[in-house]
């Protein structure tokens, strides 16, 4: 008797990232060529948890053959959480089974990886699953030299934006406070700041304590502005990682904005305008001391997520989509695919999760790496040597319109506050 046709479902979860369509395209073409039916699942898990099969549609090679260079997602995306309850998980699995789906490919970040693992574990082997790591945050637990797809394009576009802001800052003698996306990890902020040659970059990973006071973030920015003023430069760009919001004390965070949370329980960082808050605080400090410093705030993130992929990500994503299907064909399930040294290396879901919480591990910026040390060396920040010579301290204090003693009292602690 002829074996039943395998049917591959493809869905996208989380925020967009450049290269999604290249993954969908490559996976669809390879699966079709290997005799699979392919079903595109619109808007992630959103309709599956509602047992609504109306957003499932067949994908043919002609549907996807030329979408690999396009930004966005032809299947849409959502942050719907199928792990929120046993009923939600059951609804997803039963809807997939009723649609005849035997294999599921999820494209997404850490939350989508967790959802894919749930489907694999709770379907009793009826649905094979494979996850393709996507996030411009670059924070999934891959080896240090392996980026998540979309990161390189997001950094590329982000660098162009920051370079333009730097030229505007120089021309108009102002400062920009730029917050770059990155919920848990500062890879994107650091990558943009370092490659663009921004004046200053701050990432959450360099803050050793569980929480960092909002005032301390402002102190670092203010210190950089003071140092630049002492050097005769009245302009610059400071890039802050969005993840700094997650390091704020919950009581202080609640005071900054009306905090909303998404389906996974995360604070909606878009509701907390860190750039504007830092701008207002730092500009106000200088104004109180009789100094006029013009600061403009800018959030960078949504401009990056749906950009057309640069050639690196277009090629990389075709490799990932193809490899994900080959993994399923080989009998694999319950893993995230990666390309290491030009070869497919599946990473089992069990290796991705934190033993204590069961959540997907997060790859943070390694502040002890050579790459971070180089980035740090080219920033303008107050350093220990800035307080070693009285004449320079006097000059810094004058730039801040403070007495040398008060300047030391306010700023010298910054030397030991981060690594």
């Amino acid at each position: 008797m002829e074996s039943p046709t395998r049917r591959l479902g493809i869905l996208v979860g989380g925020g967009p990232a450049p290269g999604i369509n290249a993954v969908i395209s490559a996976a669809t073409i390879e699966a079709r060529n290997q005799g699979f039916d392919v079903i595109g699942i619109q808007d992630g898990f959103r309709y599956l948890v509602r047992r609504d099969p109306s957003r499932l549609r067949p994908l043919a090679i002609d549907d996807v053959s030329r979408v690999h260079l396009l930004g966005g997602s032809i299947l849409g995306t959502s942050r719907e959480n199928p792990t929120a309850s046993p009923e939600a998980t059951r609804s997803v699995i039963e809807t997939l089974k009723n649609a005849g789906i035997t294999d599921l490919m999820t494209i997404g970040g850490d939350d989508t990886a967790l959802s894919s693992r749930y489907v694999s574990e709770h379907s009793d082997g009826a649905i094979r699953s494979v996850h393709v790591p996507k996030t411009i945050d670059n924070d999934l637990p891959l080896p240090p030299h392996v980026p998540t797809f979309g990161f390189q394009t997001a950094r590329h576009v982000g660098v162009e934006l920051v370079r333009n802001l730097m030229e505007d800052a120089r021309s108009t003698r102002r400062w920009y406070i730029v917050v770059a996306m990155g919920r848990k990890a500062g890879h994107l902020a650091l990558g943009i700041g370092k490659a663009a040659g921004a004046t200053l970059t701050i990432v959450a990973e360099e803050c050793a304590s569980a929480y960092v006071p909002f005032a301390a973030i402002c102190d670092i920015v203010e210190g950089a502005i003071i140092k630049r003023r002492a050097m005769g430069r009245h302009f610059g760009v400071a890039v802050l990682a969005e993840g700094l919001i997650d390091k704020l004390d919950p009581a202080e965070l609640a005071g900054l904005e009306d905090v909303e949370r998404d389906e996974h329980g995360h604070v909606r960082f878009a509701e907390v305008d860190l750039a504007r808050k830092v701008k207002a605080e730092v500009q106000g400090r200088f104004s109180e001391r009789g100094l006029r410093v013009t600061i403009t705030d800018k959030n960078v993130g949504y401009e990056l997520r749906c950009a057309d992929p640069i050639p690196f990500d277009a090629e990389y994503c075709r490799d990932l989509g193809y490899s994900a299907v080959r993994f399923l064909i080989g009998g694999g399930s319950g893993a995230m695919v990666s390309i290491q040294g030009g070869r497919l290396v599946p990473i089992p879901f069990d290796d991705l999760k934190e033993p204590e919480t069961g959540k997907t591990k997060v790859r943070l910026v390694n502040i002890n790496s050579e790459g971070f040390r180089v980035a740090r060396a080219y920033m303008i920040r107050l350093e220990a040597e800035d307080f070693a010579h009285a004449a320079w301290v006097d000059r810094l204090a004058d730039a801040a319109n403070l007495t040398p003693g008060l300047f030391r009292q306010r700023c010298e602690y910054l030397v030991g506050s981060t690594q």
Side-chain angles (χ1 to χ4, degrees), residues 6-10 27 31 36-39 103-105 325 328:
R6 290 174 67 174
R7 179 168 289 178
L8 173 67
I10 303 175
F36 282 66
D37 288 337
V38 181
I39 301 296
D103 301 80
L104 178 67
M105 186 178 86
V325 172
L328 293 170

Side-chain angles (χ1 to χ4, degrees), residues 296-310:
T296 301
D297 57 288
K298 173 72 176 172
N299 291 294
V300 172
Y302 293 112
E303 302 92 332
L304 316 179
R305 303 193 309 174
C306 285
D308 292 344
I310 61 172

Side-chain angles (χ1 to χ4, degrees), residues 9 55 61 65 71 80 106 109 137 140 143 155 186 215 225 264-265 267 308 313 323 326 331-332 355 359 374 402:
R55 305 308 173 100
I61 290 176
S65 63
E80 191 74 40
T106 56
D137 296 352
L140 284 168
R155 181 177 65 166
I225 295 175
H264 293 272
V267 171
D308 292 344
D313 276 322
S323 297
R326 298 307 306 180
K359 293 186 176 181
V374 171
L402 294 167

Side-chain angles (χ1 to χ4, degrees), residues 83 150 208 362:
T83 72
V362 175

Side-chain angles (χ1 to χ4, degrees), residues 226 229 286 288-291 395-403 406:
I226 290 169
R229 288 174 64 85
F286 282 103
E288 287 174 1
R289 300 197 298 269
L291 298 174
R395 189 166 171 179
L396 289 167
D398 183 62
N401 204 16
L402 294 167
T403 65
L406 192 52

Side-chain angles (χ1 to χ4, degrees), residues 115-134:
S115 300
S116 184
R117 174 161 65 86
Y118 262 60
V119 171
S120 176
E121 292 174 351
H122 291 82
S123 68
D124 297 323
I127 301 173
R128 292 185 175 94
S129 70
V130 63
H131 182 68
V132 180
K134 161 212 58 92

Side-chain angles (χ1 to χ4, degrees), residues 328-386:
L328 293 170
I329 289 172
S333 182
M336 180 172 76
V337 294
S338 70
I339 306 295
Q340 301 180 34
R343 299 178 65 85
L344 164 65
V345 179
I347 303 175
F349 285 146
D350 285 344
D351 294 349
L352 300 177
K353 61 183 180 181
E354 295 282 1
E356 301 82 10
T357 64
K359 293 186 176 181
T360 307
K361 296 175 184 175
V362 175
R363 177 173 62 183
L364 301 174
V365 170
N366 180 4
I367 61 172
N368 296 312
S369 67
E370 191 66 22
F372 183 78
R373 280 192 288 270
V374 171
R376 194 73 169 72
Y378 286 90
M379 295 180 200
I380 301 297
R381 293 173 77 150
L382 290 175
E383 308 285 0
E385 56 265 28
D386 289 314

